[in-house]
Coordinates of all heavy atoms in Angstrom, one line a residue:
Q1 N 0.8 -1.2 0.0 CA 0.0 0.0 0.0 C 0.9 1.3 0.0 O 0.5 2.3 -0.6 CB -0.9 0.0 1.2 CG -2.0 -1.1 1.2 CD -2.8 -1.2 2.4 OE1 -2.5 -0.6 3.4 NE2 -3.9 -2.0 2.4
E2 N 2.0 1.2 0.6 CA 2.9 2.3 0.6 C 3.7 2.5 -0.6 O 4.5 3.4 -0.8 CB 3.9 2.2 1.8 CG 3.2 2.3 3.2 CD 4.2 2.2 4.3 OE1 5.5 2.2 4.1 OE2 3.8 2.0 5.5
G3 N 3.6 1.5 -1.6 CA 4.3 1.6 -2.8 C 5.8 1.1 -2.8 O 6.6 1.4 -3.6
L4 N 6.1 0.3 -1.7 CA 7.5 -0.2 -1.6 C 7.6 -1.6 -2.1 O 8.7 -2.1 -2.4 CB 7.9 -0.1 -0.1 CG 8.1 1.3 0.4 CD1 8.5 1.2 1.9 CD2 9.2 2.0 -0.4
L5 N 6.4 -2.3 -2.2 CA 6.4 -3.7 -2.7 C 5.4 -3.8 -3.8 O 4.4 -3.0 -3.8 CB 6.1 -4.7 -1.6 CG 7.1 -4.9 -0.4 CD1 6.5 -5.9 0.6 CD2 8.4 -5.2 -0.9
T6 N 5.6 -4.8 -4.7 CA 4.6 -5.1 -5.7 C 4.2 -6.5 -5.6 O 5.1 -7.4 -5.5 CB 5.2 -4.8 -7.1 OG1 5.5 -3.4 -7.2 CG2 4.1 -5.2 -8.2
K7 N 2.9 -6.8 -5.5 CA 2.4 -8.2 -5.4 C 2.6 -8.9 -6.8 O 2.2 -8.4 -7.8 CB 1.0 -8.2 -5.0 CG 0.5 -9.6 -4.4 CD -0.9 -9.5 -3.9 CE -1.2 -10.8 -3.1 NZ -0.9 -12.1 -3.9
L8 N 3.1 -10.1 -6.7 CA 3.2 -10.9 -7.9 C 1.9 -11.6 -8.2 O 1.0 -11.8 -7.4 CB 4.3 -12.0 -7.7 CG 5.7 -11.4 -7.5 CD1 6.7 -12.5 -7.1 CD2 6.2 -10.7 -8.7
S9 N 1.7 -12.0 -9.5 CA 0.5 -12.7 -9.9 C 0.3 -14.0 -9.2 O -0.8 -14.4 -8.9 CB 0.5 -12.9 -11.4 OG 1.6 -13.7 -11.8
G10 N 1.4 -14.7 -8.9 CA 1.3 -15.9 -8.1 C 1.4 -15.6 -6.6 O 0.7 -14.7 -6.1
R11 N 2.4 -16.2 -5.9 CA 2.6 -15.9 -4.5 C 3.8 -15.0 -4.4 O 4.8 -15.1 -5.2 CB 2.8 -17.2 -3.7 CG 1.5 -18.0 -3.6 CD 1.8 -19.2 -2.7 NE 0.6 -20.1 -2.6 CZ 0.6 -21.1 -1.8 NH1 1.6 -21.5 -1.1 NH2 -0.6 -21.8 -1.7
G12 N 3.8 -14.2 -3.3 CA 5.0 -13.4 -3.0 C 4.9 -12.0 -3.5 O 3.9 -11.6 -4.2
Y13 N 6.0 -11.3 -3.2 CA 6.1 -9.9 -3.6 C 7.5 -9.6 -4.1 O 8.4 -10.4 -3.9 CB 5.8 -8.9 -2.4 CG 4.4 -9.0 -1.9 CD1 4.0 -10.0 -1.1 CD2 3.5 -7.9 -2.1 CE1 2.7 -10.1 -0.5 CE2 2.3 -8.0 -1.6 CZ 1.9 -9.0 -0.8 OH 0.6 -9.1 -0.3
I14 N 7.7 -8.5 -4.8 CA 9.0 -8.1 -5.2 C 9.2 -6.6 -4.7 O 8.2 -5.9 -4.6 CB 9.3 -8.1 -6.7 CG1 8.3 -7.2 -7.5 CG2 9.2 -9.5 -7.2 CD1 8.7 -7.0 -8.9
V15 N 10.4 -6.3 -4.4 CA 10.7 -5.0 -3.9 C 10.7 -4.0 -5.1 O 11.3 -4.3 -6.2 CB 12.2 -4.9 -3.3 CG1 12.5 -3.5 -2.9 CG2 12.3 -5.9 -2.1
R16 N 9.9 -3.0 -5.0 CA 9.7 -2.1 -6.1 C 10.8 -1.0 -6.1 O 11.3 -0.5 -5.1 CB 8.3 -1.4 -5.8 CG 7.9 -0.4 -6.9 CD 6.5 0.1 -6.7 NE 6.1 1.2 -7.6 CZ 6.3 2.4 -7.3 NH1 6.9 2.8 -6.1 NH2 6.0 3.4 -8.1
Q17 N 11.1 -0.6 -7.3 CA 12.1 0.5 -7.5 C 11.4 1.8 -7.2 O 10.4 2.1 -7.8 CB 12.7 0.5 -8.9 CG 13.8 1.5 -9.1 CD 14.4 1.4 -10.5 OE1 13.9 0.7 -11.4 NE2 15.5 2.2 -10.7
V18 N 12.0 2.5 -6.3 CA 11.4 3.8 -5.9 C 12.3 4.9 -6.4 O 13.6 4.9 -6.2 CB 11.3 3.9 -4.4 CG1 10.7 5.3 -4.0 CG2 10.4 2.8 -3.9
T19 N 11.8 5.9 -7.1 CA 12.5 7.0 -7.6 C 12.5 8.2 -6.7 O 11.6 8.4 -5.9 CB 12.0 7.5 -9.0 OG1 10.7 8.0 -8.8 CG2 11.9 6.3 -10.0
Q20 N 13.6 9.1 -6.8 CA 13.6 10.3 -6.0 C 12.4 11.2 -6.3 O 11.9 11.9 -5.4 CB 14.9 11.0 -6.3 CG 15.1 12.3 -5.6 CD 15.1 12.2 -4.0 OE1 15.5 11.2 -3.5 NE2 14.5 13.1 -3.4
A21 N 12.0 11.2 -7.6 CA 10.9 12.1 -8.0 C 9.6 11.6 -7.2 O 8.8 12.5 -6.8 CB 10.7 12.0 -9.5
E22 N 9.4 10.3 -7.1 CA 8.2 9.9 -6.4 C 8.3 10.3 -4.9 O 7.3 10.7 -4.3 CB 8.1 8.3 -6.4 CG 7.7 7.8 -7.8 CD 7.6 6.2 -7.7 OE1 8.6 5.6 -7.7 OE2 6.5 5.7 -7.7
I23 N 9.4 10.1 -4.3 CA 9.6 10.4 -2.9 C 9.4 11.9 -2.7 O 8.6 12.3 -1.8 CB 11.0 10.0 -2.4 CG1 11.2 8.5 -2.5 CG2 11.2 10.5 -1.0 CD1 12.6 8.0 -2.2
S24 N 10.1 12.7 -3.5 CA 10.0 14.2 -3.3 C 8.5 14.7 -3.5 O 8.0 15.5 -2.7 CB 10.9 14.9 -4.3 OG 12.2 14.5 -4.1
G25 N 7.9 14.2 -4.5 CA 6.5 14.6 -4.8 C 5.5 14.2 -3.8 O 4.7 15.1 -3.4
S26 N 5.6 13.0 -3.3 CA 4.6 12.5 -2.3 C 4.8 13.3 -1.0 O 3.8 13.6 -0.3 CB 4.8 11.0 -2.1 OG 6.0 10.7 -1.6
I27 N 6.0 13.6 -0.6 CA 6.3 14.3 0.7 C 5.9 15.7 0.6 O 5.3 16.3 1.5 CB 7.8 14.2 1.1 CG1 8.2 12.7 1.4 CG2 8.1 15.1 2.2 CD1 9.6 12.5 1.6
E28 N 6.1 16.3 -0.6 CA 5.7 17.7 -0.8 C 4.2 17.9 -0.7 O 3.7 18.8 -0.1 CB 6.2 18.2 -2.1 CG 6.0 19.7 -2.3 CD 6.7 20.3 -3.5 OE1 7.3 19.5 -4.2 OE2 6.5 21.5 -3.8
V29 N 3.5 16.9 -1.3 CA 2.0 17.0 -1.3 C 1.5 16.8 0.1 O 0.6 17.5 0.5 CB 1.4 15.9 -2.2 CG1 -0.1 15.7 -2.0 CG2 1.7 16.2 -3.7
R30 N 2.1 15.9 0.9 CA 1.7 15.7 2.2 C 1.9 17.0 3.1 O 1.1 17.4 3.9 CB 2.4 14.5 2.9 CG 1.9 14.3 4.4 CD 2.3 12.9 4.9 NE 3.7 12.7 5.0 CZ 4.4 13.0 6.2 NH1 3.7 13.6 7.2 NH2 5.6 12.8 6.2
G31 N 3.0 17.6 2.8 CA 3.3 18.8 3.5 C 2.3 19.9 3.3 O 1.8 20.6 4.2
V32 N 1.9 20.0 2.0 CA 0.9 21.0 1.6 C -0.5 20.7 2.3 O -1.1 21.6 2.9 CB 0.7 21.1 0.1 CG1 -0.5 21.9 -0.3 CG2 2.0 21.7 -0.6
L33 N -0.9 19.4 2.2 CA -2.2 19.1 2.8 C -2.2 19.2 4.3 O -3.2 19.7 4.9 CB -2.5 17.6 2.4 CG -2.8 17.4 0.9 CD1 -2.8 15.9 0.6 CD2 -4.1 18.1 0.5
E34 N -1.1 18.7 5.0 CA -1.1 18.8 6.4 C -1.0 20.3 6.9 O -1.5 20.7 8.0 CB -0.1 17.9 7.0 CG -0.4 16.5 6.9 CD 0.5 15.6 7.8 OE1 1.6 16.0 8.1 OE2 0.0 14.5 8.2
G35 N -0.2 21.1 6.1 CA -0.1 22.5 6.4 C -1.5 23.2 6.3 O -1.9 24.0 7.2
L36 N -2.3 22.8 5.3 CA -3.6 23.4 5.2 C -4.5 23.0 6.3 O -5.3 23.8 6.9 CB -4.2 22.9 3.8 CG -5.7 23.3 3.6 CD1 -5.9 24.8 3.5 CD2 -6.2 22.6 2.3
A37 N -4.4 21.7 6.7 CA -5.1 21.2 7.9 C -4.8 22.0 9.1 O -5.7 22.3 9.9 CB -4.9 19.7 8.1
A38 N -3.5 22.2 9.4 CA -3.1 23.0 10.6 C -3.6 24.4 10.5 O -4.1 24.9 11.6 CB -1.6 23.0 10.7
R39 N -3.6 25.0 9.4 CA -4.1 26.4 9.3 C -5.6 26.5 9.5 O -6.1 27.3 10.3 CB -3.8 27.0 7.9 CG -4.4 28.4 7.7 CD -3.9 29.1 6.4 NE -4.3 28.3 5.2 CZ -5.5 28.5 4.6 NH1 -6.4 29.2 5.2 NH2 -5.8 27.8 3.5
Q40 N -6.3 25.5 8.9 CA -7.8 25.5 9.2 C -8.2 25.1 10.6 O -9.1 25.6 11.1 CB -8.5 24.6 8.1 CG -8.3 25.1 6.7 CD -9.1 24.3 5.7 OE1 -9.4 23.1 5.9 NE2 -9.5 24.9 4.6
A41 N -7.4 24.3 11.2 CA -7.6 23.9 12.6 C -7.4 25.2 13.5 O -8.2 25.4 14.4 CB -6.6 22.8 13.0
A42 N -6.4 26.0 13.2 CA -6.2 27.2 13.9 C -7.4 28.2 13.7 O -7.8 28.9 14.7 CB -4.9 27.9 13.5
E43 N -7.9 28.3 12.5 CA -9.0 29.2 12.2 C -10.3 28.7 12.8 O -11.1 29.5 13.2 CB -9.1 29.3 10.7 CG -7.9 30.0 10.0 CD -8.0 29.9 8.5 OE1 -8.8 29.1 8.0 OE2 -7.2 30.5 7.8
N44 N -10.4 27.4 13.0 CA -11.7 26.9 13.5 C -11.7 26.9 15.0 O -12.8 26.8 15.6 CB -11.9 25.4 13.0 CG -12.1 25.3 11.5 OD1 -12.6 26.2 10.9 ND2 -11.7 24.2 11.0
T45 N -10.6 26.9 15.7 CA -10.4 26.7 17.1 C -10.6 25.3 17.6 O -11.6 24.7 17.2 CB -11.4 27.7 17.9 OG1 -11.2 29.0 17.4 CG2 -11.1 27.6 19.4
L46 N -9.6 24.8 18.3 CA -9.7 23.4 18.8 C -10.8 23.3 19.8 O -11.1 24.2 20.6 CB -8.4 23.0 19.4 CG -7.2 22.9 18.5 CD1 -5.9 22.8 19.4 CD2 -7.3 21.8 17.5
S47 N -11.5 22.1 19.8 CA -12.4 21.8 20.8 C -11.7 21.5 22.1 O -10.5 21.3 22.1 CB -13.3 20.6 20.5 OG -12.5 19.4 20.5
K48 N -12.4 21.5 23.2 CA -11.8 21.2 24.5 C -11.2 19.8 24.5 O -10.1 19.6 25.0 CB -12.8 21.4 25.6 CG -12.2 21.2 27.0 CD -13.2 21.5 28.1 CE -12.6 21.3 29.5 NZ -13.6 21.6 30.6

């Protein structure tokens, strides 16, 4: 699910080749999304 393994058609898995572009892109997207969440949480005010 994390994109580090690929399931084979039969049994087992193989280690997937991961590129720097994939890593950079996914982390940057998460930063943008979690940053937005933090900003909106501040604007909404946390519950007790």
